[in-house]
């Protein structure tokens, strides 16, 4: 019978996680990149830079791009915290964008002769569904989706420690 010394302990080796986890992470990061490019193109096509509030989504896109790059290069410690904070900031900016688009559409309702005959709930519903006004309320949601995908990618580790 052989005995092992108490000094000899197995050190955990750093191995790649299962292939499925790596593919999931890569897919999430790719979807974030597609969301960033898609949102930037949509904003450019709409010439969404006329006023200072219209620059907010551009800043959000830049933050998402930085966070994506950071997460792709390193996924540990303070980097994860920074990535997650940036993603939450983009989520808040996205919510602000949805609100501003709905408010802008609601303001355009005054041009409709039947506007005053609608209940306040119907007016806000019309503004949300873009039945009145031209601002797409769900367009900022594209940034929210990319930010949520980035958050999901941040909890999917690039590497995982497996027992030897």
């Amino acid at each position: 019978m052989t005995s092992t010394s108490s000094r000899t302990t197995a050190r955990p080796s750093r191995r790649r996680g299962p292939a499925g986890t790596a593919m999931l992470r890569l897919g999430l990061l790719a979807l974030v990149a597609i969301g960033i490019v898609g949102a930037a193109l949509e904003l450019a096509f709409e010439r969404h830079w006329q006023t200072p509030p219209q620059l907010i989504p551009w800043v959000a896109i830049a933050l998402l791009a930085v966070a994506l790059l950071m997460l792709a290069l390193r996924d540990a410690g303070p980097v994860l915290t920074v990535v997650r904070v940036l993603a939450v900031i983009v989520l808040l900016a996205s919510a602000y964008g949805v609100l501003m688009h709905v408010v802008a559409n609601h303001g355009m309702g005054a041009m409709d002769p039947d506007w005053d005959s609608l209940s306040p709930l119907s007016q806000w519903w019309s503004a949300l569904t873009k039945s009145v006004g031209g601002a797409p309320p769900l367009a900022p949601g594209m940034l929210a989706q990319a930010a949520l995908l980035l958050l999901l990618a941040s909890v999917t580790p690039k590497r995982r420690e497996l027992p030897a």
Side-chain angles (χ1 to χ4, degrees):
M1 183 170 187
T2 61
S3 65
T4 57
S5 167
S6 61
R7 291 186 206 171
T8 309
T9 57
R11 291 185 357 193
S13 63
R14 300 233 347 140
R15 295 186 198 167
R16 290 227 176 253
T21 304
M23 289 302 293
L24 176 64
R25 178 182 165 73
L26 184 60
L28 290 170
L29 294 176
L31 287 171
V32 173
I34 290 167
I36 290 170
V37 171
L41 287 173
E42 179 66 21
L43 289 171
F45 295 158
E46 293 294 325
R47 290 172 173 60
H48 202 279
W49 53 70
Q50 308 291 328
T51 63
Q54 287 186 336
L55 298 176
I56 293 171
W58 290 103
V59 172
I61 286 172
L63 292 176
L64 269 179
V66 167
L68 175 63
L69 185 61
M70 289 174 69
L71 188 60
L73 295 176
R74 182 164 171 88
D75 68 344
V79 170
L80 280 177
T81 302
V82 171
V83 165
R84 291 172 182 160
V85 167
L86 291 176
V88 169
I89 290 170
V90 172
L91 281 170
L92 293 173
S94 177
Y96 176 76
V98 170
L99 177 65
M100 289 297 97
H101 282 197
V102 171
V103 167
N105 288 345
H106 188 273
M108 293 300 291
M111 295 183 179
D112 184 352
D114 298 327
W115 187 250
D116 290 330
S117 67
L118 297 175
S119 70
L121 184 60
S122 295
Q123 289 178 349
W124 285 108
W125 179 254
S126 294
L128 177 66
T129 60
K130 200 179 159 189
S131 299
V132 64
L138 298 182
M142 191 173 188
L143 290 174
Q145 180 179 357
L148 285 171
L149 288 168
L150 188 66
L151 283 172
L152 286 173
S154 77
V155 298
T156 308
K158 185 188 321 184
R159 302 180 137 218
R160 199 160 44 158
E161 287 190 23
L162 299 174

